[in-house]
Amino acid sequence: MSGRPTRGLTGRRVLVTGASGTFGRHLGAALSAAGARVVGLDLHARPDDAVPVLGCDLTDPAAVPAAVRAAVDRLGGLDLLINNAGVGGPAPAELPPDEVVRQQLEVNLLGAWRTTAAALPPLLTAHGRVIFVASRMAVLPLPLAAAYGVSKRALVAYADALRHEVGTHVGVSVVYPSMVASPIHDSTAEAGLSLRGVSRPEPVDGVVAAILRAATARRAPRDVATTRRGRLEMAVGRHAPALADRLVRRTLAARLAAGDLDAAPLAAGMLRRHRHRDPGS
């Protein structure tokens, strides 16, 4: 916990979704070490762990309110909700949406929406906070991962709408990690679409520290980057989108030319267009 902002966490009642994942496990440990009382939600229950995890399928509209109530009852109220649950996977924008796309929208967007709606009554009572773990791809989208970028951008839009509705009583923050080594990238790598050379990895500790900063700031910050590079990328994506597009296209063209995506069936359309494009275009 050295160097992490922990003041103000002692005794706070915290619910973390995706509690068994890479961020979730580290968050639970860091929050507990700082004196917070933490309960997690994840697909598979681990009620006897140091940070108890209640089983909940966030894609099930009927299951979420009951799981949130059980967590709040166990905590005796709620001061902080961290919407951390997320799934990834390859999804080219040129192809029709499939189950991979549906799952990402269900978990990354609708799961957070359902959980937040269920948690709002105790959060309003406590004048608490909600933190959404989004992604740099919400402001700087990458090709061949349309579902993830769309779901995370939609999550930010939801957070913005929520802030307008309840921001007088509940703080609403969004944290934007870049790539962190975790199983969420496994299916993308297996499809031959590794993010190598496209997104710079960052340590999970930095993401956890950014989330704790958002949780302990005197006023809930609106948007929180996890690194200096992240702040720059977010600024470019928002204020100079044409420049951001050129940077992504240049990086992608280099990867295509180097043959990095030759073995990826989902990139076949891009490969074909890249090799037969008009040189003057």
Side-chain angles (χ1 to χ4, degrees):
M1 293 297 298
S2 175
R4 287 176 180 165
T6 59
R7 289 189 307 167
L9 287 172
T10 300
R12 289 179 72 178
R13 301 158 297 181
V14 185
L15 177 59
V16 179
T17 68
S20 296
T22 300
F23 292 166
R25 293 194 312 273
H26 285 81
L27 273 170
L31 288 161
S32 295
R37 298 166 54 203
V38 188
V39 172
L41 294 184
D42 211 299
L43 193 57
H44 302 293
R46 300 196 326 270
D48 299 323
D49 281 11
V51 174
V53 177
L54 308 183
C56 180
D57 180 357
L58 297 182
T59 69
D60 182 347
V64 173
V68 171
R69 280 196 302 272
V72 172
D73 288 345
R74 186 160 182 162
L75 290 166
L78 190 63
D79 301 300
L80 173 62
L81 168 64
I82 302 177
N83 280 301
N84 164 71
V87 295
E94 66 178 289
L95 300 181
D98 58 9
E99 179 61 21
V100 171
V101 174
R102 188 197 68 79
Q103 184 72 2
Q104 290 181 66
L105 290 171
E106 279 285 347
V107 175
N108 299 350
L109 171 61
L110 298 181
W113 192 328
R114 293 183 186 106
T115 304
T116 303
L120 269 179
L123 285 171
L124 286 164
T125 298
H127 285 255
R129 293 190 183 183
V130 181
I131 297 175
F132 296 92
V133 181
S135 166
R136 204 77 43 76
M137 287 179 62
V139 292
L140 193 67
L142 300 176
L144 304 174
Y148 193 74
V150 166
S151 66
K152 291 298 189 177
R153 183 171 289 192
L155 181 67
V156 174
Y158 170 70
D160 290 344
L162 182 72
R163 190 180 297 108
H164 287 308
E165 294 181 20
V166 304
T168 53
H169 289 69
V170 175
V172 180
S173 301
V174 182
V175 178
Y176 297 81
S178 183
M179 177 185 174
V180 174
S182 78
I184 198 172
H185 304 297
D186 288 353
S187 60
T188 300
E190 289 165 4
L193 299 173
S194 168
L195 293 175
R196 177 177 55 85
V198 176
S199 186
R200 181 176 295 182
E202 62 181 275
V204 66
D205 282 355
V207 178
V208 171
I211 293 170
L212 297 188
R213 284 198 304 274
T216 56
R218 190 170 65 86
R219 292 185 179 179
R222 189 179 193 278
D223 298 299
V224 180
T226 54
T227 63
R228 289 193 191 93
R229 180 186 176 92
R231 284 193 290 274
L232 176 61
E233 289 177 346
M234 288 171 62
V236 171
R238 283 182 167 154
H239 303 298
L243 173 60
D245 288 347
R246 288 198 297 273
L247 293 172
V248 172
R249 283 197 301 268
R250 185 175 66 184
T251 301
L252 178 63
R255 291 196 72 196
L256 291 169
D260 289 350
L261 303 178
D262 285 359
L266 291 176
M270 292 186 66
L271 285 163
R272 184 172 59 253
R273 288 186 292 274
H274 176 76
R275 288 166 180 166
H276 294 90
R277 76 187 189 283
D278 180 354
S281 63

